[in-house]
Amino acid sequence: MSWIREGELNLIEKLSANILKAGPMPKHVAFIMDGNRRYARKRQVERQEGHTQGFDKLAETLRWCLNLSIHEVTVYAFSIENFKRSKDEVDGLMELAKQKFIRLLEEQDNLEKHGVCIRVLGDLTLLPLDLQQHIARAVVATRTHNKCFLNVCFAYTSRHEIANAMAWGVEQGLIKSSDVSEALLSRCLYSSNSPNPDLLIRTSGEVRLSDFLLWQTSHSCLVFQSVLWPEYSFWNLCDAILQYQLNHRPLQKARDQHREGQALQQHEADRACLADLLQHHGNGKPLDAQRRQEALLNYTASREERVQDFLGALQHKRDSFLTDLTSQAALA
Amino acid sequence: MVHVYEFMWRVLHVLLHIHRTLITLFRIRLRNWNGQLWSRAIAALLVPIALSFPKQKKLVPAPGKRVGRRYRWGADGKSLEKLPDHIGLLIAEEEPRYTDIANLVVWCMAVGISYISVYDNHGVFRRNNSRLMEEILKQQQELLGLEGSKQHSVEFLSNGTDKQDHQVLSCQSVVKVLSPDDGKLRIVQAAQELCRAVEQMEKTAKDINVTVLDSLLRESKTTPDPDLVLKFGPVESTLGFLPWHIRLTEFISLPSHVDVSYEDLFSALQHYASCEQRLGK
C-alpha cells in the first residue's frame, strides 16, 4: 500500500517495541513533518524530491505506528501559510497530493483490509477543485473504517479552525450563546471525531507549533527532535514515546484537574442561566431547594439536547459537502 | 513473556530516572564548585552519557554566578541579533519560588524585553498576584539599584485593564500574570460574545473570522504575541498557556526555575536569537 508501507519490524525493533508497550502508550500521535527542503539541500536534490521522500517517510512512520499499536495519527501536510511559497513549489505540492490521493483510491481493497479511515482537516475550499474531489472520494470511501485513523491537515491553520468553528456555531441559531463552552467548541473543530493528541512530535529542530492543533495540544506531550523528517528513524519515534512515558503521569493529572475545573465552570454557568431564566420568566415566587434542583437538572438536560441536535446538524453539513463533491466528480 | 517485557520496561525507566537525577545533581554541584577545571572535567564525563540517550533540545545550564554584573545586562541585550518583544515564563508543575521568578523578570527587563508574562497551570501566581509584584519590586531594587530602578520602570497589568499611555520613560516593561483562565476560557468567552452579537443581529456569521477573533483576544492593541516561552520544570507541555497566542512562539526548555541564574536566561536568549522563522514560506 502506498500510504502505509508493508513490512514488519526486525528482531531488535520488535524487542524494543514490546518493551515500550509494557508502559503507557500514546493512542494518538501528531507529527509536524518539517525538514523536507533542508534535506533536499543537504542531499543536493530538487525540492520536489525532498517532498516526495518526505511522503515515503510518512508511509514508513505509519507502518511503525501500527506496529506500536498507535491507531490514530495526525499529520501537518500543508498550512494555509504555505500558500505564500513560490507558485512552482505550491503547484508541485498540489500535484504530489493529487497523485497520492489517486493512488490511495486505487488501493481501496487494502484500505478496507487494514480498516484505514482517512480524514482531511482544513479549509478544502482553498484547494484546486480537482484535488478537492479526489480528497472527498478518499474520505467518503474510507468513512466507515475504524481500525486505524489517519488525519491529514491540508490547507489548515489552527486559528482558522477555531474561528470557523465559532462561525458555524453561531450561524444556525441552533444554540444559545450561553450554550457555548470549551467542550462544545472542541466538538466544532475539524478534529471533532478524534481524541486530543497524546504526543506531538516536530522534526528538524524547530521549536514552535506553527499554528498546528493549538487548541487540541494544550495538555499534550511536546517533543521537538532535531532530525530532518526524511531521515526520521524508528529509534527517533521510540525516543519520542519514551518522553511521553516519562511525562505521562503529571500530564494525566493536569488533564484531569482541567476537566474537573471545566465541569465546575459548566455547572456554575448552568446555575447562572437558570437564575436568569427564573428571574425573567418566573412567577416571582422563589423556588424551594428541591424544585430548584429539579429545574437545574431540566435545564441541563435541555441544553445538552440542544447541543446534540446542533452537533448532528454540523456533522451532516460536513458530510454533505464531501458527498456533493464526490457526485460532482462522478458527473465530470 | 509479557512479564519479561514489563520488567525490562521498569529497568529502562529506572535508568532514565537515575540519568535525570545525575544530571540535576551535577548541575547543582557545578554551580557550587564554580571552578573551570572541574566543570570542564565533569562536562566531559557527562557529554557521552547525555549523548547515549538522545534527548530533545534542552539547555543544560552553564555554571555561573547568581548575581551578574548589572551594567552588562543592557549591553548583552543589544548584542543579540534579535530580542523577543514578549517573553513568557511558564512554570510547569514546579513549586513556585517567588524570588527566582522575580529575578527572572528583572533580568528580562534589564536586558530590554518589553513584555513579560508569568504563568503556571494552577493559577498560583494569579491568586498571589500582589506577593509576586512585591517580590519583583524588591528584587528590582536589589539587582538594579536605585538608579537602575528609576531607569527601568515596570507596569503590572491585571486582567481586564488596558495598557494606558504613560508619560515617556526611558525603559518601561509590562509584566502580566497569567493563569489557565486566560487560555481556553477566554476564547470561550469571546465566542459567547460573538454569539450574542449575532443573536442580537449586530453581526452575521460571515463577520466572524481570524482577525475579528484575534482583536477580541488581544489584551490591548499594542501587546504582541509571545515570541519566546521559557518553560521551567519537568513536564514537556504548554499546560494550557494561551493556546490562541502561541502559534509562532518558540519554546525553550530549562530544567528548573529554582536557583536559576542570569547565564541560564541569557543562553536561552542567545538560542532564540539564532532561530529562523520562515512563516510558511
Side-chain angles (χ1 to χ4, degrees), chain B residues 137 140-142 144-154:
Chain B
L137 289 169
Q140 191 186 20
Q141 291 284 359
E142 195 178 306
L144 298 180
L146 206 55
E147 271 312 305
S149 301
K150 284 202 193 125
Q151 266 198 336
H152 295 272
S153 73
V154 60

Side-chain angles (χ1 to χ4, degrees), chain B residues 109-126:
Chain B
M109 279 166 46
V111 148
I113 298 172
S114 324
Y115 292 88
I116 303 151
S117 296
V118 181
Y119 175 91
D120 77 292
N121 65 307
H122 295 289
V124 172
F125 289 130
R126 171 62 72 78

Side-chain angles (χ1 to χ4, degrees), chain A residues 100-287:
Chain A
K100 294 303 175 188
F101 276 103
I102 292 174
R103 227 3 242 291
L104 187 79
L105 288 162
E106 289 166 4
E107 294 165 349
Q108 280 208 41
D109 294 332
N110 243 333
L111 288 171
E112 184 145 350
K113 177 172 130 207
H114 288 89
V116 183
C117 174
I118 309 264
R119 296 184 195 126
V120 177
L121 315 182
D123 191 353
L124 299 183
T125 59
L126 297 172
L127 300 171
L129 186 59
D130 55 352
L131 180 55
Q132 285 187 48
Q133 286 166 347
H134 290 304
I135 288 173
R137 282 170 61 206
V139 172
V140 169
T142 58
R143 197 179 265 168
T144 51
H145 302 166
N146 60 6
K147 286 224 200 86
C148 56
F149 302 90
L150 172 63
N151 308 308
V152 182
C153 289
F154 217 85
Y156 172 94
T157 61
S158 201
R159 284 191 174 184
H160 275 85
E161 184 185 32
I162 296 170
N164 274 340
M166 278 194 206
W168 213 83
V170 148
E171 189 180 29
Q172 297 298 305
L174 290 170
I175 44 168
K176 301 200 278 185
S177 57
S178 54
D179 295 337
V180 176
S181 67
E182 194 181 313
L184 178 58
L185 265 180
S186 299
R187 304 281 295 278
C188 292
L189 300 171
Y190 301 134
S191 59
S192 57
N193 293 320
S194 306
N196 288 338
D198 298 303
L199 171 61
L200 170 65
I201 299 170
R202 180 170 188 153
T203 55
S204 87
E206 305 295 350
V207 290
R208 51 185 180 265
L209 295 173
S210 298
D211 225 338
F212 182 57
L213 301 181
L214 301 174
W215 178 276
Q216 297 90 328
T217 57
S218 58
H219 288 83
S220 307
C221 180
L222 302 180
V223 175
F224 298 108
Q225 297 180 296
S226 51
V227 61
L228 298 174
W229 175 251
E231 296 174 330
Y232 204 67
S233 76
F234 179 73
W235 304 110
N236 293 130
L237 182 57
C238 287
D239 180 34
I241 293 173
L242 261 177
Q243 290 298 318
Y244 167 79
Q245 293 183 334
L246 288 170
N247 283 276
H248 173 73
R249 247 192 243 134
L251 277 178
Q252 183 84 310
K253 208 173 112 202
R255 243 179 263 137
D256 290 341
Q257 276 173 344
H258 183 76
R259 212 170 292 136
E260 275 167 27
Q262 247 187 290
L264 246 131
Q265 273 165 4
Q266 183 67 77
H267 193 71
E268 280 312 306
D270 282 346
R271 276 166 128 223
C273 286
L274 181 67
D276 220 31
L277 259 175
L278 289 173
Q279 203 178 36
H280 285 120
H281 302 293
N283 53 11
K285 278 192 265 185
L287 291 178

Side-chain angles (χ1 to χ4, degrees), chain B residues 89 97-110 116-119 125 128-145 149 152-157 173-177:
Chain B
L89 305 172
R97 285 260 294 257
Y98 290 86
T99 315
D100 291 308
I101 303 290
N103 283 337
L104 280 167
V105 171
V106 173
W107 288 325
C108 287
M109 279 166 46
I116 303 151
S117 296
V118 181
Y119 175 91
F125 289 130
N128 297 289
N129 203 353
S130 41
R131 182 176 161 194
L132 181 61
M133 286 202 257
E134 269 168 35
E135 197 67 41
I136 291 173
L137 289 169
K138 182 168 138 229
Q139 290 305 110
Q140 191 186 20
Q141 291 284 359
E142 195 178 306
L143 293 173
L144 298 180
S149 301
H152 295 272
S153 73
V154 60
E155 188 192 338
F156 295 100
L157 270 190
S173 297
V174 176
V175 177
K176 188 132 203 289
V177 175

